[in-house]
Amino acid sequence: LRVFGISLQPAEVAKLAMILFLAYLICKMGRNIRTMKGFLVVLGAAAPISGLIYVITRNLSSAIIIMGIAVVMLFVACPDYKRFIILGLIGIAGVAGIVFLIVKMSESGSVGSFRGERILAWLDPEAYASGKGFQTLQALYAIGSGGILGKGLGQSMQKLGFLPEGQNNMIFSIICEELGIFGGIFVLILFGYLLYRLFFIAQNAPDMFGSLMVSGIFIHIALQVILNIAVVVNLMPNTGVTLPFISYGGTSIVFLMAEMGLALSVARQIKFEE
């Protein structure tokens, strides 16, 4: 999407908008959020936005992240474990059913879509080494060739045309190749510390709106980190999710920094008793 000559990713705008909207909605609903009606109202408000982002961008991963933000923010506001366990089991059953169906379709010679091919490449990347599994295999080669301490900063071979989009969603594999497993773990520690500080701010926020807003920012960053690294090490199919603050992308970094600004504005209002 281009606005006044500037390229803009609608999904990044929607993620921040969803965090602010749900924080306001949940605060407005008050105690009603604990009822089944309140539970369904929040999910019902988030689902169309998530679906609209998928229709506009054709990016399923962004739609999943937006819905994930809504579900976890709802859990923070109303931690009714029974509802969320049921919701989680339904989600797991749905995903397992889709994977099973795609595998059965592949056995009959029909995959259905490029997303189906991605799932099959995830299950057996070597069988799709020249197609959808190529990027995953090259990322794993990069991680493996880096060893413990890596080849040295700027010495990656995989980024020189071997690994497609190495600067975007596969940047973590390049970090591991250049800085080794040690460098990869260090990056994860930095993300862990950032998430810890966001959790601390959310726990000590002076009001419910600030707490929910920072919780939403926490969830957004945590989801993207988990999904990105899971894709790089082939724990899940390729989704195209970027690594926050590190992957190339103008819109992403601008809105992530905006989220950090909002979190810091809440942190400024925290007062501790001496």
Side-chain angles (χ1 to χ4, degrees):
L1 179 66
R2 296 190 69 84
V3 180
F4 301 115
I6 300 173
S7 180
L8 194 66
Q9 291 291 336
E12 300 303 325
V13 181
K15 290 171 189 175
L16 179 56
M18 176 62 76
I19 292 168
L20 297 174
F21 168 68
L22 286 181
Y24 171 79
L25 178 63
I26 292 170
C27 288
K28 194 76 173 175
M29 293 180 68
R31 292 182 179 275
N32 292 329
I33 195 68
R34 297 181 180 274
T35 65
M36 179 57 74
K37 180 181 178 181
F39 181 84
L40 295 176
V41 164
V42 173
L43 290 182
I49 299 172
S50 179
L52 187 62
I53 285 298
Y54 172 68
V55 171
I56 294 173
T57 65
R58 309 305 297 175
N59 190 333
L60 182 60
S61 57
S62 293
I64 291 171
I65 288 172
I66 290 170
M67 200 63 201
I69 290 170
V71 170
V72 183
M73 284 184 70
L74 184 56
F75 177 77
V76 170
C78 177
D80 186 337
Y81 292 95
K82 183 179 178 180
R83 292 177 187 173
F84 290 94
I85 289 171
I86 293 171
L87 193 63
L89 290 174
I90 292 172
I92 292 170
V95 170
I98 292 170
V99 172
F100 179 78
L101 181 62
I102 289 172
V103 170
K104 286 298 181 182
M105 289 174 64
S106 69
E107 291 175 357
S108 63
S110 173
V111 177
S113 69
F114 76 94
R115 290 190 178 87
E117 291 179 0
R118 283 185 173 183
I119 290 174
L120 294 174
W122 164 59
L123 295 172
D124 187 8
E126 288 85 0
Y128 295 83
S130 60
K132 294 294 183 183
F134 180 79
Q135 190 179 38
T136 299
L137 285 175
Q138 294 301 319
L140 294 174
Y141 293 155
I143 294 171
S145 64
I148 301 298
L149 298 177
K151 296 178 178 178
L153 196 61
Q155 300 302 312
S156 168
M157 291 296 296
Q158 294 299 102
K159 70 182 181 182
L160 302 177
F162 297 98
L163 178 61
E165 302 299 323
Q167 76 279 11
N168 290 339
N169 55 318
M170 289 294 175
I171 190 68
F172 186 73
S173 64
I174 303 301
I175 292 171
C176 290
E177 184 183 6
E178 295 189 353
L179 302 178
I181 300 300
F182 175 81
I185 292 173
F186 182 73
V187 169
L188 292 180
I189 291 172
L190 291 176
F191 275 120
Y193 184 70
L194 172 63
L195 293 173
Y196 162 73
R197 295 302 301 173
L198 289 173
F199 177 78
F200 180 84
I201 294 169
Q203 287 289 94
N204 294 280
D207 54 44
M208 187 64 173
F209 179 80
S211 179
L212 285 170
M213 183 174 66
V214 178
S215 296
I217 295 167
F218 172 96
I219 296 155
H220 173 207
I221 295 173
L223 276 176
Q224 289 211 188
V225 170
I226 292 168
L227 292 177
N228 178 271
I229 294 174
V231 166
V232 171
V233 299
N234 201 36
L235 290 177
M236 63 178 290
N238 200 322
T239 59
V241 175
T242 57
L243 189 62
F245 303 107
I246 297 177
S247 292
Y248 175 83
T251 307
S252 175
I253 192 66
V254 166
F255 280 90
L256 282 168
M257 295 305 291
E259 289 180 12
M260 289 298 100
L262 291 171
L264 290 174
S265 72
V266 175
R268 285 184 61 189
Q269 301 173 46
I270 298 174
K271 295 179 181 179
F272 296 101
E273 296 181 2
E274 296 184 1

